[in-house]
């Protein structure tokens, strides 16, 4: 329930008036703060809920009300023996001066009761509006003449009118019907209202209504509204649209048939109750071959080991159709009745072959160097971090010698071709390794696990010979050679950048010592095996 703090401002009143009002106990769900001001100010008026004017008022009441909070109560204290000012009657209450003992408190208590009554009425009205607007069924209240007093949002949606437009209007206007059209049709709304008013009890009816969505079938429940003397003063109605329920099977078949993916419905016994044409097409079936079969048995026999669970928990299956493979994403949804009991399951089979191909292509492109087809620097870090674990790790860092001269002499196209040739040589010599282009003419070979340094040196020497042989046969690349830096660790706490820096140090020593060779970190004298 609500709780409200009323701000009471007295203008010109003496201390006795404030004291008498303070003695009045707040009503339920209310509290009040009382302050006295020597004169009227715009600031104090703008924040008060009750303004008591115990001084001459020079402004018309309507001007004062325009300054006050919306809904504020304005009280004027005056000696009635002197007569009322011309605008005194516009105030919400008149308190007679001089005050007899207890009179101000009495009038103040009545004022609080009136305010509480307004707040309670507004609160109850808001609760009613919130309640009926949260219901998907149509709800309305009418007086005995048939004028609509209150409707909910669902009602407005059905008739295509606003609440303000509906309020106070009758059946023909709201439903856009002419009287002769109503009399010639099958509509019975007005007759059922008369039955409820006459019998003074709740009744249920099946009614047809012409709405903005076309002719609709409603199950309606109508009840009389009584006053305190048990006299009928109106009716309340609730209408549930059952048009779609009556057409559900037909519409379901139409919907299922129009879906761009396969649909299968399993009943509570586990049997296949319905499938659409797309499903039959996917699996090359006739309805008689699948309807009534146990779904789990059919799935095992048809999909078997072709199903897999993706990282996000979804199921996918690969099937053959018309000589090609198709990937189907399978989604399961429970079908429940109004009592939340599971009465079946709905399965959708969606062709995601193209999506998966695009995803794979995007993933490949994001991990691959466009020119050489090797992995790129970003994926190099991702791969090593993911696969290293507690295993030993070895980096073979390769840099082309005289690559800038090839670019400067023969152009960047020749340089690009040299990089492609180098990538092919690396793949040929290390088919079992992870190879990446770090950028420019720098390449990295990553060996995880079994990578004894003696074997690595032997393979590095063989790689250098193959590079020299390949480059020497090409008229544009005969000045090229390769330099290699090697670094290895068995300590999993040594990070990638540290090991990469160590291999780069070894590579620098090769460059400093004449190129076309390899070095191993920590540095030692080494020459290429003969």
């Amino acid at each position: 329930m609500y709780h409200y703090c009323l701000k009471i401002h007295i203008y010109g009143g003496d201390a006795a008036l404030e004291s008498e009002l303070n003695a009045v106990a707040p009503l339920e769900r209310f509290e009040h703060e009382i302050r006295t001001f020597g004169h009227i100010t715009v600031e104090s008026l703008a924040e008060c809920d009750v303004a008591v004017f115990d001084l001459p008022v020079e402004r018309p009441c309507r001007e004062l009300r325009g300054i006050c909070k919306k809904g504020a109560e304005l009280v004027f204290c005056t000696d009635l023996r002197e007569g009322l000012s011309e605008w005194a009657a516009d105030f919400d209450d008149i308190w007679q001066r001089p005050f007899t003992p207890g009179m101000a408190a009495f009038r103040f208590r009545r004022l609080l009761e009136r305010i509480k009554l307004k707040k309670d009425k507004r609160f109850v009205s808001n609760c009613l509006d919130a309640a009926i607007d949260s219901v998907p069924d149509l709800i309305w209240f009418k007086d005995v003449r048939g004028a609509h007093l209150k409707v909910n949002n669902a009602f407005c949606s059905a008739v295509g009118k606003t609440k303000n437009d509906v309020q106070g209007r009758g059946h023909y206007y709201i439903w856009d019907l002419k009287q002769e059209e109503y009399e010639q049709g099958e509509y019975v709304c007005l007759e059922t209202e008369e039955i409820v008013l006459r019998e003074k009890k709740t009744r249920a009816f099946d009614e047809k209504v012409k709405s903005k969505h076309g002719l609709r079938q409603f199950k309606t429940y109508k009840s009389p509204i009584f006053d305190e003397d048990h006299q009928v003063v109106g009716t309340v109605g609730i209408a549930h649209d059952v048009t779609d329920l009556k057409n559900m099977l037909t519409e379901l078949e139409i919907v299922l048939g129009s879906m761009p993916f396969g649909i299968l419905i399993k009943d509570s016994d586990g049997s296949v109750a319905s499938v659409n044409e797309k499903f039959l097409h996917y699996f090359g079936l006739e309805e008689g071959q699948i309807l009534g079969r146990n779904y789990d048995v059919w799935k095992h026999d048809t999909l078997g080991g072709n199903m897999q669970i993706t990282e996000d928990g979804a199921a996918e299956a690969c099937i053959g159709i018309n000589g090609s493979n198709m990937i189907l994403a399978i989604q399961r949804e429970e079908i429940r009745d109004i009592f939340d009991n599971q009465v079946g399951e709905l399965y959708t089979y969606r062709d995601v072959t193209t999506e998966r191909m695009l995803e794979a292509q995007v993933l490949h492109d994001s991990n691959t160097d466009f020119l050489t087809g090797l992995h790129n620097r970003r994926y190099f870090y991702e791969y090593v971090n993911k696969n290293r674990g507690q295993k030993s790790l070895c980096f073979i860092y390769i840099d082309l010698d005289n690559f800038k001269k090839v670019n400067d002499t023969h152009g960047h196209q020749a340089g690009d071709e040299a990089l492609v040739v180098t990538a092919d040589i690396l793949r040929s010599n290390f088919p079992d390794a992870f190879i990446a282009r770090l950028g420019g003419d720098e390449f990295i070979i990553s060996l995880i696990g079994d990578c004894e340094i003696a074997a690595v040196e032997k393979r590095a020497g063989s790689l250098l010979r193959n590079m020299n042989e390949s480059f020497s046969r090409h008229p544009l690349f005969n000045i090229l050679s390769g330099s290699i830096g090697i670094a290895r660790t068995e300590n999993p706490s040594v990070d990638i950048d540290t090991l990469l820096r160590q291999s780069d140090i070894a590579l620098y020593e090769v460059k400093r010592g004449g190129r076309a060779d390899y070095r191993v970190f920590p540095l030692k004298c080494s020459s290429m095996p003969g």
Side-chain angles (χ1 to χ4, degrees):
M1 297 292 285
Y2 69 88
H3 185 83
Y4 205 87
C5 179
L6 294 174
K7 292 187 177 181
I8 317 295
H9 291 178
I10 303 172
Y11 296 99
D14 53 29
L17 178 57
E18 180 177 347
S19 177
E20 186 167 353
L21 298 190
N22 268 319
V24 177
L27 301 182
E28 182 184 7
R29 296 189 296 278
F30 280 85
E31 59 181 293
H32 50 254
E33 299 174 354
I34 301 176
R35 295 177 61 189
T36 299
F37 297 84
H39 59 280
I40 300 172
T41 65
V42 172
E43 292 78 9
S44 63
L45 274 178
E47 64 178 12
C48 71
D49 298 285
V50 177
V52 180
F53 299 98
D54 192 18
L55 44 63
V57 177
E58 299 178 354
R59 293 185 178 185
C61 179
R62 61 179 178 274
E63 291 186 14
L64 297 174
R65 197 177 298 279
I67 300 172
C68 293
K69 291 171 61 175
K70 183 179 179 180
E73 296 280 335
L74 276 62
V75 179
F76 185 45
C77 302
T78 184
D79 189 336
L80 295 179
R81 293 172 299 181
E82 299 175 359
L84 292 174
S85 62
E86 59 183 13
W87 58 70
D90 294 331
F91 285 84
D92 297 298
D93 202 359
I94 304 293
W95 291 2
Q96 184 177 354
R97 274 290 196 179
F99 294 122
T100 57
M103 180 54 68
F106 172 80
R107 298 306 297 265
F108 182 53
R109 189 177 298 106
R110 288 292 180 266
L111 175 63
L112 295 180
E113 290 172 352
R114 187 167 71 248
I115 292 174
K116 183 178 184 301
L117 185 62
K118 289 182 180 180
K119 296 287 186 184
D120 286 347
K121 178 183 177 183
R122 186 177 298 112
F123 178 74
V124 171
S125 179
N126 290 341
C127 288
L128 178 60
D129 286 338
I132 65 176
D133 283 337
S134 66
V135 176
D137 294 332
L138 281 62
I139 299 178
W140 65 91
F141 297 84
K142 292 183 182 180
D143 62 19
V144 291
R145 297 177 295 109
H148 290 71
L149 306 177
K150 184 184 287 289
V151 296
N152 68 345
N153 289 337
F155 187 98
C156 293
S157 176
V159 301
K161 293 179 172 64
T162 66
K163 290 182 178 180
N164 289 336
D165 199 21
V166 168
Q167 186 172 342
R169 305 305 293 264
H171 181 87
Y172 297 123
Y173 170 80
I174 290 174
W175 295 98
D176 296 321
L177 285 174
K178 297 180 180 178
Q179 185 169 354
E180 55 270 21
E181 182 182 6
Y182 179 86
E183 293 172 350
Q184 295 172 4
E186 302 178 26
Y187 320 113
V188 295
C189 301
L190 296 182
E191 288 85 344
T192 56
E193 296 282 347
E194 294 175 358
I195 293 173
V196 172
L197 292 172
R198 184 174 60 252
E199 297 184 359
K200 299 183 179 181
K201 63 180 182 181
T202 300
R203 292 287 302 270
F205 305 97
D206 291 312
E207 299 180 346
K208 292 182 179 178
V209 175
K210 182 182 177 182
S211 74
K212 75 166 188 174
H213 307 294
L215 191 62
R216 309 297 293 178
Q217 180 77 39
F218 287 97
K219 171 68 74 174
T220 62
Y221 301 87
K222 300 183 178 182
S223 301
I225 301 174
F226 300 98
D227 63 11
E228 63 272 16
D229 297 324
H230 201 67
Q231 297 298 312
V232 178
V233 294
T235 58
V236 56
I238 301 176
H240 180 62
D241 190 342
V242 295
T243 311
D244 295 335
L245 293 177
K246 289 184 177 292
N247 297 326
M248 183 178 62
L249 293 178
T250 301
E251 293 185 359
L252 180 60
E253 291 178 1
I254 294 173
V255 170
L256 295 183
S258 65
M259 289 295 169
F261 42 79
I263 294 179
L264 178 146
I265 297 177
K266 182 177 77 172
D267 62 23
S268 58
D269 296 327
S271 299
V272 178
S274 180
V275 292
N276 68 349
E277 287 295 329
K278 202 71 173 179
F279 180 91
L280 297 175
H281 172 71
Y282 283 162
F283 294 97
L285 297 171
E286 300 289 339
E287 275 193 346
Q289 297 175 291
I290 183 68
L291 294 183
R293 288 190 61 181
N294 182 278
Y295 172 72
D296 292 333
V297 172
W298 172 85
K299 182 176 69 172
H300 179 270
D301 294 343
T302 305
L303 303 179
N306 295 326
M307 285 190 63
Q308 63 178 2
I309 305 300
T310 61
E311 293 182 358
D312 58 2
E316 289 188 358
C318 183
I319 64 172
I321 180 171
N322 298 327
S324 60
N325 290 329
M326 175 187 293
I327 301 174
L328 295 175
I330 306 170
Q331 184 173 345
R332 168 187 170 275
E333 297 288 344
E334 294 181 351
I335 302 174
R336 295 185 173 274
D337 63 15
I338 61 173
F339 303 106
D340 202 34
N341 297 316
Q342 184 176 340
V343 294
E345 295 174 354
L346 184 144
Y347 292 85
T348 58
Y349 287 74
R350 185 167 61 90
D351 182 2
V352 294
T353 309
T354 302
E355 293 177 31
R356 296 297 175 264
M357 291 174 60
L358 291 174
E359 289 171 0
Q361 185 63 49
V362 169
L363 181 63
H364 176 269
D365 292 346
S366 67
N367 294 335
T368 305
D369 173 57
F370 177 76
L371 177 64
T372 63
L374 297 175
H375 299 297
N376 57 23
R377 186 185 191 95
R378 186 199 64 79
Y379 188 57
F380 157 71
Y381 280 92
E382 180 180 329
Y383 176 86
V384 174
N385 279 323
K386 183 177 180 181
N387 294 277
R388 178 183 183 182
Q390 301 297 312
K391 303 174 185 176
S392 59
L393 178 62
C394 180
F395 286 163
I396 304 174
Y397 203 148
I398 304 106
D399 182 87
L400 295 182
D401 304 322
N402 300 314
F403 178 73
K404 186 175 184 303
K405 289 183 180 180
V406 172
N407 264 338
D408 294 343
T409 304
H410 304 291
H412 289 286
Q413 185 174 356
D416 289 347
E417 185 179 350
L419 295 175
V420 173
V421 170
T422 302
D424 291 339
I425 297 172
L426 297 181
R427 289 192 193 94
S428 176
N429 282 263
F430 287 86
D432 57 331
F434 180 89
I435 309 173
R437 180 189 174 197
L438 296 183
D441 59 339
E442 298 177 347
F443 301 85
I444 191 78
I445 299 174
S446 304
L447 298 173
I448 299 176
D450 185 14
C451 49
E452 292 299 326
I453 197 65
V456 173
E457 288 188 63
K458 184 176 180 181
R459 296 184 71 177
S462 177
L463 172 61
L464 289 175
R465 286 192 297 273
N466 288 340
M467 292 177 71
N468 290 336
E469 292 172 2
S470 296
F471 292 148
S472 64
R473 292 194 298 267
H474 199 294
L476 301 182
F477 305 153
N478 52 22
I479 63 172
L480 289 177
S481 60
S483 295
I484 295 176
I486 301 171
R488 178 182 180 276
T489 182
E490 295 184 353
N491 184 356
S493 65
V494 176
D495 60 46
I496 294 175
D497 286 329
T498 298
L499 195 63
L500 199 60
R501 187 164 54 253
Q502 292 173 354
S503 63
D504 188 40
I505 292 172
L507 175 64
Y508 177 76
E509 281 299 308
V510 175
K511 294 281 189 180
R512 198 164 64 95
R515 304 177 180 178
D517 202 349
Y518 70 81
R519 292 286 187 275
V520 178
F521 186 93
L523 298 175
K524 63 181 181 179
C525 293
S526 175
S527 60
M528 186 176 73

